[in-house]
Amino acid sequence: MDSEALGHYVLPAMEELPRRIPKLIAAVLCTPDGFNICSLGVDEKQVGKLAALSGSLLAVGDATLGELNPGGGAHSMDLLTLKAGGFQVLGVKVQKPGGHLILMGAATDTTLGVMIVGMQHVAAAIEKRFNPAAAG
């Protein structure tokens, strides 16, 4: 499946984000190496840069986790948050066969709990699209 087809395939799940996070500004679903799959609220000039940054943020989180917990085994970053005043960014891993994707979302004046629950719900919906047999 090419990236455009993949983007259309996950779009129905991504469109749940503004309903789950009413003050959502933008969201990007990308590969760990920063290739955009699907985005909401992001213009053409931003999408490539935001996809690359999303992949980098979780990679930096993984490296930090490895330094702070060197004996922690193969654990990697599942969720990362950034907060600046009333602006929040949250990134979560979306598991798929053979690896994972990264879902990054940004919102204003939204509690961390609402962000986490909304983003994890959509991540789970995307995961089910990749593995419908496990949705049972």
Side-chain angles (χ1 to χ4, degrees):
M1 184 179 299
D2 69 24
S3 61
E4 186 173 344
L6 183 57
H8 287 293
Y9 183 67
V10 299
L11 185 59
M14 288 283 290
E15 288 175 333
E16 276 291 308
L17 276 171
R19 289 188 277 281
R20 300 240 166 221
I21 305 169
K23 294 185 179 180
L24 184 78
I25 293 170
V28 174
L29 179 69
C30 63
T31 62
D33 59 352
F35 187 75
N36 179 58
I37 302 297
C38 188
S39 61
L40 301 173
V42 179
D43 68 32
E44 289 294 319
K45 294 177 192 171
Q46 293 177 304
V47 73
K49 184 182 271 188
L50 287 175
L53 288 169
S54 297
S56 297
L57 283 172
L58 258 67
V60 169
D62 277 337
T64 304
L65 183 64
E67 286 298 315
L68 293 172
N69 189 19
H75 297 290
S76 65
M77 187 69 56
D78 297 318
L79 182 142
L80 178 73
T81 65
L82 301 170
K83 184 173 179 0
F87 187 79
Q88 244 173 173
V89 177
L90 189 124
V92 296
K93 279 189 179 173
V94 178
Q95 297 300 323
K96 68 175 192 64
H100 70 276
L101 299 173
I102 297 165
L103 177 61
M104 188 74 64
T108 57
D109 301 319
T110 301
T111 65
L112 180 58
V114 168
M115 287 282 296
I116 291 172
V117 170
M119 294 283 286
Q120 286 181 330
H121 176 84
V122 170
I126 294 169
E127 288 172 359
K128 286 177 185 173
R129 293 187 77 76
F130 286 114
N131 191 5

